[in-house]
Amino acid sequence: MPCTVSMTVNGKAVSREVEERTLLVTFLRDQLGLTGTHVGCDTSQCGACVVHIDGRSVKSCTMLAAQADGAAVTTIEGLAAADGTLHPMQAAFREHHGLQCGFCTPGMVMSAVDLVTANPSLSEHDVREGLEGNICRCTGYHNIVKAVMAGAEAMQGGTMKAAAE
Amino acid sequence: MANPTGIGASVRRREDARFLTGRGTYTDDINRPGQTHAVFVRSPYAHARITGIDAAEAMQAPGVIAVLTGADMEADKVGSLPCGWQIHSKDGSPMKEPPHFPIARDRARYVGDAVAVVIAETREQAKDAAELVMVDYEELPAAVTSLKALEGGAPLVHDDVGGNLCFDWHLGDAAAVDAAFAQAAHVAKLDLVNQRLVPNAMEPRAALGEYDRATGEHTLTTTSQNPHVIRLLMGAFVLGIPEHKLRVVAPDVGGGFGSKIFHYGEEAVVTWAAKKVGRPVKWTAERSESFLTDAHGRDHVSHAELAMDRDGNFLALRVATIANMGAYLSTFAPSIPTYLYATLLAGQYKTPAIYAEVKAVFTNTVPVDAYRGAGRPEACYLIERLVEVAAAETGIDKAELRRRNFVPASAMPYQTPVALQYDTGDFAKNLDIALPLVDYDGFAARKAESARRGKLRGIGFATYIEACGIAPSNVAGALGARAGLYESAEVRFHPTGSVTVFTGSHSHGQGHETTFAQLVSERFGVPIENVEIVHGDTSKIPFGMGTYGSRSLAVGGSAIVKAMDKVERKAKKIAAHMLEAAEADIEVKDGRFVVAGTDKALTIGDIALQAYVPHNFPLDELEPGLDEQAFYDPKNFTYPNGCHVCEVEIDPDTGVVQVVNFAAVDDFGRVINPLIVEGQVHGGLVQGIGQALYENCVYDEDSGQLITGSYMDYCMPRADDVPSFTVRYHEDQPCTHNPLGVKGCGEAGTIGASAAVMNAVVHALSEYGVTHLDMPATPERVWQAIRRHTPAQAAE
Ligand code: FES
Ligand code: FES
């Protein structure tokens, strides 16, 4: 049974007809062409699909498009400033080599931003626990953790530490 | 640093800009007008005869365009997936090579073997219809583990492969080994299992087939580490499409770790089906499908013995290994437990005699092939566990025992008794750097402190050497490779001085777009943003062999150097003409072309412009253009090596192992981009730690059902499971036979880590009398080991 869903995605109002069973991630990728949100699993374990709904991180493979009706959705494509300036967390991932193949990266960055928003003064331990829902097969997490710590500081308006140890 | 984007600089990655903003383009992100979706019907049985397929109901389902089976492929004369490597048994007979059809014809041989494919307008419709395809199966008994498959009377995976034995191979001098054992003062023995793993690149495999009726050209976009190899195998052997009518594109690829080297049936099916249905056909694996169909890794059962003299000097090593091949031979499968494994059993040690026997076995499981490290982690794990056992049994300190037996740097180049010739390496130096990094001397105090908190503590070493940069072709050919293993590059200067480099290597996370551009920036002083690296598209790049086995820089980068040599030669000619000097007087200094002893100089940009605007060229002597191509086939493998040290703390009440300290000291030869190299090491270490502590691919031994079929059951290491690492490398042992002096860093972490972790775990448990534990050291296994070895405590 098709139904109509309306939401704001990356600041733009969208309205589309979807099948009731359509997952939010499928809606974003296939109907809106926002392919930065990835699908890495079918059991809600990997976190490649994390987006923000009304500012909080959500695994978009775990909810239906219809459940996001009326919400404000931000995907990785909407994180940088309108002029293309990277979000401090994106910049920190780049500076600290927190990505390799880049597949987990959008979900990682979206999770990290929410983590820092919820707890601006996190420890390394908090970061590791906070990223427990995101799997990265490439980086060994070492640089991701460094990036999130630096990104947290930058989000507070601090300067980023150099990547070199 | 002279050039901020040259060799040795930690240049930030250029590819990150698109990945960080969601603009990467992975195969599943690509959609074509008129695209259809393929979903495979897969066998629910490990072993079954297919007695009938009824697709009538599925064909009536909404959106369904076609249901195709193995019979349809047979009618179209589609061949079987070829194996790229041939091994011969001890008796000289070739390995057994039963056909592997993209869609099974009369028998399914593992859970997940494709039986039919449904093509529909949407993925959901294809999925729904796949449920309606009625397949009549006659279930057959399955041979699931390699040991059981070898037993007399075991079910046969292929009727014409008696005893399920693919090959029975050996390497080394058995008589010399026997003689040495007869003399030994002490023999250390160990039985071990190197468990099966699922590679689990985060991007699931995907394939998109297209056919252009106007040109007759097929295009396959696929998640591959080596598009040209896929084109060759699929074109020549499976579908019979001539190469000029087949284009294979591997765009951004979300990790591979070996699992995307191989040619998979789905690639052939979508390419074939696109022509059949007259529309693009896309297939994207779900994760549970990846678990069932991506080639798995490892799966060895081994018995090993090390003979020593009174002083702990190694005299001989004897190894017998049973390697599980799964149901069919995947593309490179036979090379993994043979030439990529047994040839590395010398490790870093000057053991004079080595003999290895390997039996490869068919079972009703997913095919097994290369996974990060491929054979070398298995070799390192075996030898380093065995050395640790030897140290414990002889009472010689484990660092000292290793040092005593290392091949000394002064003995390089060193010919091992198992075929390889190491060119450079200073193994004692790796250890010297590592020991203070982990404060080896302070271990006893830390152990005492742990004990006060009721915890066990252990420290473990692993030293490793690997053969990387795979090639040379003549050696590979002698060892059974059916392909050459060189690499190619084209360096094309454009009229305004920007450069495009076409490489046969493929990047799926390794940062080639940055590292390769650094090579050009260094050589010609071109700003890095003016260098474009093109890879992954057979219609653009020269024939190349792709990326695996840490070969991209050593082989692919060297091909770029060779092409740059040609560019330089040509540029010198042009410079000589422009500056009215003799060609012999032109030298390159800091990227500028200078007339020796004068201040007359040109940049490569000046020369490039002239090359394309040759108004006053003596055209009979000087050809226009500045665009050169090279193929590079190395003389030898490269030999990265290192020493990894792991310290663990174990809670004896729960069996939980925590890695509390990990140091990796590596010799990768020359390092082009330290940032990227360290990142590769971190990633590798976690895959090795993952094998040691968490990951395990488990089949039900009777039914052959995959028990660990999703991330709910297969334990992937997560951020809170692993520590931060101390990583060091030294560059004073450059590779002697490639122009860059590089050795390769992609697999090192994985090769060293599992052995280091397990040695630490067993060391921690040694006070309970534990001498060995098979991986993964899960809390349950550790807890059981503690209980088993202390019956008094268990009874409490
Ligand atoms: S795709 Fe959503 S958690 Fe894996
Ligand atoms: S960067 Fe490849 S999975 Fe994280």
Side-chain angles (χ1 to χ4, degrees):
Chain A
M1 209 35 122
C3 61
T4 303
V5 297
S6 306
M7 61 187 90
T8 311
V9 179
N10 299 332
K12 261 201 256 154
V14 298
S15 195
R16 292 277 195 291
E17 195 159 276
V18 299
E19 280 198 61
E20 276 170 347
R21 65 173 169 175
T22 303
L23 295 170
L24 178 59
V25 66
T26 314
F27 176 70
L28 293 171
R29 286 179 57 80
D30 293 357
Q31 274 176 282
L32 303 186
L34 294 169
T35 54
T37 303
H38 295 151
V39 180
C41 72
D42 41 34
T43 50
S44 289
Q45 300 279 312
C46 77
C49 62
V50 171
V51 299
H52 292 174
I53 306 270
D54 298 326
R56 296 313 307 268
S57 62
V58 166
K59 287 180 171 171
S60 63
C61 72
T62 315
M63 88 188 259
L64 299 168
Q67 290 174 289
D69 194 38
V73 179
T74 308
T75 71
I76 191 71
E77 288 93 342
L79 199 60
D83 69 353
T85 309
L86 293 182
H87 183 279
M89 190 60 79
Q90 289 171 309
F93 267 71
R94 174 148 201 225
E95 180 60 22
H96 294 274
H97 189 30
L99 65 156
Q100 291 183 18
C101 77
F103 195 81
C104 73
T105 308
M108 258 323 157
V109 170
M110 297 309 278
S111 291
V113 169
D114 183 38
L115 208 59
V116 175
T117 312
N119 173 13
S121 56
L122 349 90
S123 66
E124 175 176 336
H125 179 79
D126 297 333
V127 173
R128 287 192 179 274
E129 290 220 314
L131 292 179
E132 217 258 351
N134 294 70
I135 302 176
C136 175
R137 192 55 149 168
C138 298
T139 65
Y141 304 106
H142 179 111
N143 283 346
I144 291 179
V145 173
K146 258 168 58 180
V148 177
M149 298 293 288
E153 218 177 296
M155 280 170 68
Q156 255 69 242
T159 50
M160 265 192 279
K161 285 190 208 124
E165 311 234 43
Chain B
M1 191 117 343
N3 179 342
T5 57
I7 290 175
S10 283
V11 179
R12 300 296 182 264
R13 295 202 325 171
R14 294 156 10 114
E15 41 273 80
D16 291 357
R18 66 175 188 276
F19 294 151
L20 279 164
T21 52
R23 292 189 177 86
T25 305
Y26 302 88
T27 299
D28 188 54
D29 298 342
I30 297 168
N31 295 296
R32 299 291 186 221
Q35 173 178 295
T36 66
H37 296 267
V39 164
F40 286 84
V41 178
R42 298 188 178 279
S43 170
Y45 299 110
H47 199 187
R49 210 181 306 284
I50 302 162
T51 54
I53 299 177
D54 179 356
E57 202 184 336
M59 279 304 297
Q60 299 308 312
V64 172
I65 297 160
V67 179
L68 303 169
T69 65
D72 296 312
M73 294 195 101
E74 190 171 6
D76 283 358
K77 302 199 170 41
V78 174
S80 79
L81 304 172
C83 178
W85 208 291
Q86 188 175 49
I87 297 296
H88 287 80
S89 287
K90 289 171 186 165
D91 63 6
S93 62
M95 68 187 189
K96 300 291 191 307
E97 214 175 338
H100 180 194
F101 295 110
I103 297 181
R105 295 191 176 167
D106 49 3
R107 232 157 88 192
R109 291 188 170 84
Y110 62 91
V111 173
D113 209 354
V115 174
V117 62
V118 177
I119 295 165
E121 298 289 344
T122 71
R123 199 172 291 170
E124 288 70 25
Q125 289 170 334
K127 259 178 104 162
D128 287 347
E131 303 275 317
L132 303 175
V133 176
M134 295 299 147
V135 183
D136 290 327
Y137 294 104
E138 181 193 317
E139 197 182 350
L140 300 168
V144 181
T145 67
S146 56
L147 292 183
K148 284 197 182 157
L150 277 182
E151 281 170 8
L156 290 185
V157 179
H158 300 275
D159 291 341
D160 50 356
V161 181
N164 294 314
L165 189 65
C166 176
F167 58 78
D168 181 6
W169 175 89
H170 69 160
L171 181 71
D173 187 338
V177 166
D178 290 347
F181 269 86
Q183 312 261 313
H186 184 81
V187 174
K189 296 185 184 181
L190 186 59
D191 288 298
L192 51 77
V193 174
N194 203 301
Q195 83 272 29
R196 182 182 279 235
L197 300 177
V198 183
N200 271 315
M202 290 317 296
E203 177 208 24
R205 283 192 300 118
L208 168 62
E210 294 170 79
Y211 179 67
D212 183 336
R213 276 187 203 288
T215 60
E217 184 178 300
H218 299 259
T219 303
L220 168 69
T221 307
T222 181
T223 49
S224 172
Q225 299 178 216
N226 48 6
H228 264 297
V229 175
I230 303 306
R231 186 183 76 167
L232 174 66
L233 296 178
M234 188 173 76
F237 299 98
V238 187
L239 297 181
I241 302 169
E243 278 127 309
H244 67 290
K245 292 292 184 194
L246 176 58
R247 173 181 173 200
V248 177
V249 184
D252 286 329
V253 172
F257 316 111
S259 69
K260 293 172 181 168
I261 306 176
F262 324 122
H263 177 32
Y264 288 95
E266 294 87 357
E267 294 170 326
V269 170
V270 298
T271 306
W272 166 74
K275 181 175 181 185
K276 226 171 164 60
V277 303
R279 292 169 61 181
V281 177
K282 178 151 95 180
W283 166 78
T284 302
E286 296 200 331
R287 179 58 57 182
S288 37
E289 201 175 6
S290 303
F291 272 95
L292 289 177
T293 64
D294 290 2
H296 291 168
R298 320 278 194 251
D299 207 341
H300 282 193
V301 179
S302 294
H303 174 72
E305 304 176 17
L306 178 66
M308 287 170 281
D309 70 13
R310 196 161 289 104
D311 302 319
N313 295 307
F314 301 166
L315 301 175
L317 173 69
R318 190 189 278 143
V319 177
T321 291
I322 294 168
N324 193 341
M325 295 281 101
Y328 305 100
L329 289 182
S330 174
T331 314
F332 294 106
S335 67
I336 312 303
T338 51
Y339 292 107
L340 291 176
Y341 163 71
T343 54
L344 271 305
L345 284 169
Q348 300 193 345
Y349 309 111
K350 53 185 194 302
T351 314
I354 298 176
Y355 179 68
E357 289 176 290
V358 179
K359 284 186 168 64
V361 189
F362 287 113
T363 61
N364 291 110
T365 60
V366 176
V368 176
D369 207 321
Y371 164 60
R372 201 169 191 170
R376 292 150 292 179
E378 294 91 317
C380 173
Y381 180 66
L382 180 138
I383 183 80
E384 290 300 292
R385 279 293 303 125
L386 188 57
V387 168
E388 203 92 346
V389 168
E393 288 178 359
T394 58
I396 303 172
D397 173 79
K398 48 202 178 190
E400 168 54 26
L401 183 65
R402 287 183 165 90
R403 198 185 293 277
R404 199 173 290 178
N405 285 285
F406 281 155
V407 175
S410 59
M412 296 290 169
Y414 173 76
Q415 177 64 52
T416 75
V418 274
L420 300 178
Q421 191 188 65
Y422 303 160
D423 64 339
T424 55
D426 185 344
F427 308 139
K429 178 170 182 173
N430 299 337
L431 188 64
D432 291 343
I433 298 173
L435 291 180
L437 276 183
V438 295
D439 183 19
Y440 187 56
D441 295 339
F443 175 75
R446 293 194 296 280
K447 188 174 172 68
E449 193 277 328
S450 292
R452 276 197 292 280
R453 286 182 286 113
K455 301 280 170 62
L456 311 170
R457 203 172 185 98
I459 192 164
F461 291 87
T463 68
Y464 74 89
I465 186 157
E466 52 172 331
C468 288
I470 289 188
S473 289
N474 53 359
V475 176
L479 303 181
R482 286 164 168 160
L485 290 168
Y486 44 82
E487 201 45 83
S488 66
E490 181 184 339
V491 175
R492 185 183 298 170
F493 269 85
H494 303 293
T496 59
S498 65
V499 190
T500 307
V501 177
F502 301 86
T503 169
S505 296
H506 182 273
S507 183
H508 35 283
Q510 297 92 338
H512 295 173
E513 290 167 38
T514 304
T515 310
F516 288 2
Q518 285 179 257
L519 301 179
V520 180
S521 182
E522 170 87 18
R523 180 75 172 263
F524 294 120
V526 181
I528 198 164
E529 58 275 14
N530 290 354
V531 184
E532 180 81 9
I533 306 296
V534 175
H535 64 88
D537 182 343
T538 61
S539 73
K540 294 182 179 163
I541 58 173
F543 192 90
M545 299 304 292
T547 288
Y548 44 86
S550 296
R551 70 193 299 277
S552 290
L553 196 55
V555 193
S558 295
I560 295 174
V561 171
K562 295 287 176 195
M564 289 196 298
D565 290 345
K566 292 186 184 176
V567 167
E568 186 179 302
R569 278 202 290 280
K570 176 80 179 284
K572 277 182 171 168
K573 277 196 182 42
I574 299 172
H577 165 71
M578 289 169 71
L579 297 170
E580 296 177 336
E583 197 185 318
D585 290 341
I586 305 290
E587 38 185 58
V588 185
K589 262 197 197 148
D590 301 329
R592 289 162 69 83
F593 291 72
V594 183
V595 182
T598 74
D599 56 0
K600 291 208 282 182
L602 292 169
T603 66
I604 187 80
D606 302 330
I607 296 168
L609 182 62
Q610 205 52 214
Y612 290 100
V613 189
H615 289 168
N616 61 2
F617 266 25
L619 290 171
D620 45 346
E621 294 161 29
L622 198 53
E623 196 182 330
L626 196 55
D627 177 0
E628 299 284 353
Q629 187 175 332
F631 282 71
Y632 172 74
D633 200 325
K635 289 196 203 53
N636 191 354
F637 299 94
T638 67
Y639 297 98
N641 58 85
C643 175
H644 294 183
V645 193
C646 174
E647 197 164 317
V648 298
E649 197 172 74
I650 297 178
D651 181 341
D653 295 329
T654 61
V656 170
V657 177
Q658 206 194 341
V659 176
V660 291
N661 195 2
F662 201 111
V665 177
D666 296 288
D667 162 14
F668 298 132
R670 194 141 159 246
V671 167
I672 308 299
N673 185 323
L675 185 80
I676 288 177
V677 165
E678 286 172 22
Q680 289 283 311
V681 174
H682 298 154
L685 291 176
V686 169
Q687 291 190 359
I689 294 173
Q691 170 162 26
L693 298 181
Y694 308 109
E695 299 181 40
N696 196 8
C697 176
V698 182
Y699 278 92
D700 181 272
E701 293 199 10
D702 296 318
S703 68
Q705 293 294 328
L706 180 62
I707 293 174
T708 49
S710 78
Y711 289 147
M712 317 273 278
D713 314 295
Y714 186 92
C715 185
M716 291 281 279
R718 292 169 187 268
D720 57 349
D721 293 319
V722 290
S724 288
F725 305 104
T726 308
V727 169
R728 296 285 184 278
Y729 61 86
H730 61 88
E731 293 184 274
D732 57 359
Q733 301 287 318
C735 175
T736 52
H737 54 80
N738 67 48
L740 289 167
V742 299
K743 294 184 175 179
C745 65
E747 302 154 299
T750 309
I751 295 173
S754 343
V757 174
M758 289 311 293
N759 283 339
V761 168
V762 174
H763 183 222
L765 297 177
S766 60
E767 57 193 86
Y768 288 85
V770 175
T771 55
H772 178 67
L773 201 61
D774 277 325
M775 300 185 286
T778 57
E780 195 224 349
R781 271 195 194 168
V782 171
W783 188 87
Q784 294 278 6
I786 290 172
R787 293 303 175 278
R788 208 169 35 244
H789 287 82
T790 52
Q793 283 190 2
E796 279 172 15

